[in-house]
Amino acid sequence: EHALDLSKAALQQLPAVVHDARGVAAAFLAFSQVRLGQMDTAVSLLQTIIDDPTPLGPAKTQVYIGLSLIFHQAGELHRLSQHCDYFSSFAAGSSETNAIPGLNYVAGYPHYQRNDLTAASRYFSTMVELRYLSNFVAALNTGIGLARIFQVQGKLGKAQELIHLLYEDTCRLQNTDLLPLLESAQAELQLAEGKTAPALRWAQEFQPESVQDNLFYLEVPFLTQARILVAHGSVAAVRATSRHLEQRLAEMQRHHFTIRVIQISSHLALVYDRLKRSDDALASLRRALTLGRPGGFVRPFVECGPALVPFLEQLRPEDTFPEYVSQVLAGFGAEVQPTA
């Protein structure tokens, strides 16, 4: 609510001709509205700016990106895909430096979440190539996404090269607050390489409260930590993880952060399974599937690993979503064995 008040005050005080600053203020006002459950109001605010025929310079690009992130946060992948089509038409005719990078930042998201990794990699690769022309947080996130795709494709060497490149850029730009995202991606890659000890050490030492989660992040360190601890940590560590994820789940539900609710719920299924709480695991997975089905989410489930498959198989006969569960299970078949 404080962010909402500040954004409103900024829009009231900023002159109409200061398009860039007003665009940023409008985007953050919309983000605040979404967190308070005012999704329709937020979308209407940003859509009004997009529909304004007045040339607004970089402000309109920022608003296109902001609305894309809102749709992604809300789990509305169909609306995100449609919006990205409009964004693409705008970017093609725009002279703004950030228009094309901004489009490639968000347009890969619906493909990635639906596990269409070939299409997602095209957008993410372009964004990495244009990373010096765009917001570095956006470039870092799509870069980590591309590294994850390389990892899934078994191209572990390429994944490591990209993480190293992003690490160098992050240090050179002194964006040290972003290093935990790269360290999380590195731990995931180490696990894929069979280097369990350093990955587990990172998971045991990582303090999830040290990284503030937000809608800009494709990499979610506390979920990477959960996967590693469920697979290789002690029962005590998994119990602590369950408490943390349950707290995060409640927070994300309050803030209407649907994609995180899907991700956390699917991970909680793994946690509850390790703790021999099968009924809770099924209930948590059922919640994730119910929220994920309208948008066709696949990746949040596949990233949990094959331990989730028996629970998905158990839920498939349910009348509510048998075809969707089959679609999710097919995503596990796309995973390949790693190579150097």
Side-chain angles (χ1 to χ4, degrees):
E1 292 180 355
H2 184 54
L4 183 78
D5 292 339
L6 288 175
S7 300
K8 286 182 176 179
L11 285 173
Q12 291 172 353
Q13 295 176 24
L14 287 168
V17 295
V18 187
H19 301 306
D20 291 1
R22 290 185 61 84
V24 172
F28 276 96
L29 173 57
F31 296 157
S32 301
Q33 290 170 330
V34 170
R35 290 172 72 91
L36 294 172
Q38 302 169 17
M39 175 77 175
D40 291 343
T41 303
V43 172
S44 178
L45 168 67
L46 298 188
Q47 192 63 55
T48 298
I49 297 173
I50 287 172
D51 293 339
D52 187 342
T54 306
L56 299 176
K60 188 162 287 191
T61 297
Q62 293 163 352
V63 170
Y64 265 109
I65 294 172
L67 187 51
S68 300
L69 293 172
I70 284 173
F71 287 142
H72 186 247
Q73 172 181 335
E76 299 192 13
L77 296 186
H78 294 299
R79 293 180 77 180
L80 174 56
S81 296
Q82 184 180 48
H83 174 69
C84 286
D85 289 340
Y86 296 130
F87 192 179
S88 179
S89 298
F90 166 78
S94 175
S95 60
E96 294 302 326
T97 303
N98 195 36
I100 295 298
L103 170 66
N104 283 277
Y105 168 36
V106 296
Y109 276 20
H111 297 287
Y112 183 83
Q113 299 297 357
R114 291 173 177 149
N115 212 41
D116 182 359
L117 301 185
T118 300
S121 67
R122 288 197 296 269
Y123 289 107
F124 290 173
S125 295
T126 301
M127 184 60 182
V128 170
E129 292 170 2
L130 300 175
R131 63 190 183 278
Y132 298 123
L133 299 177
S134 181
N135 178 284
F136 185 69
V137 174
L140 180 73
N141 274 280
T142 50
I144 291 176
L146 182 59
R148 183 63 55 83
I149 291 173
F150 287 152
Q151 180 179 319
V152 170
Q153 294 171 338
K155 303 173 183 177
L156 302 189
K158 292 188 70 173
Q160 184 60 73
E161 288 176 8
L162 182 52
I163 290 175
H164 181 70
L165 175 67
L166 294 171
Y167 185 86
E168 288 186 332
D169 284 349
T170 303
C171 291
R172 185 174 64 254
L173 296 172
Q174 298 182 335
N175 285 327
T176 54
D177 58 314
L178 299 176
L179 289 177
L181 302 180
L182 287 165
E183 292 164 356
S184 171
Q186 181 67 70
E188 181 83 15
L189 181 57
Q190 288 170 334
L191 206 61
E193 293 171 330
K195 300 175 182 176
T196 303
L200 180 57
R201 184 165 56 251
W202 171 82
Q204 291 170 333
E205 295 175 354
F206 175 67
Q207 299 297 318
E209 298 83 3
S210 66
V211 180
Q212 184 176 2
D213 188 23
N214 65 53
L215 77 170
F216 300 108
Y217 293 167
L218 193 61
E219 178 71 17
V220 189
F222 71 83
L223 294 179
T224 303
Q225 179 190 43
R227 290 194 296 274
I228 295 172
L229 291 177
V230 166
H232 302 285
S234 66
V235 173
V238 176
R239 286 199 186 99
T241 298
S242 73
R243 292 191 294 271
H244 176 73
L245 291 185
E246 287 163 354
Q247 292 170 358
R248 289 275 189 166
L249 176 64
E251 178 186 352
M252 295 302 106
Q253 288 173 323
R254 285 197 307 273
H255 294 159
H256 306 275
F257 203 156
T258 303
I259 185 172
R260 285 291 186 271
V261 175
I262 295 169
Q263 292 170 314
I264 294 170
S265 297
S266 58
H267 281 72
L268 272 171
L270 292 179
V271 170
Y272 292 146
D273 177 44
R274 176 74 190 277
L275 298 176
K276 303 188 184 306
R277 296 166 54 182
S278 298
D279 290 346
D280 289 334
L282 284 171
S284 189
L285 182 56
R286 189 179 288 109
R287 176 175 56 243
L289 289 167
T290 300
L291 291 172
R293 183 170 60 90
F297 281 88
V298 174
R299 196 73 213 153
F301 303 97
V302 175
E303 288 187 345
C304 288
L308 207 61
V309 169
F311 291 99
L312 288 164
E313 293 281 11
Q314 195 170 340
L315 289 175
R316 179 154 52 174
E318 295 190 2
D319 293 336
T320 311
F321 32 65
E323 294 181 0
Y324 175 50
V325 174
S326 297
Q327 178 187 348
V328 171
L329 284 166
F332 286 88
E335 304 293 288
V336 301
Q337 294 298 314
T339 59

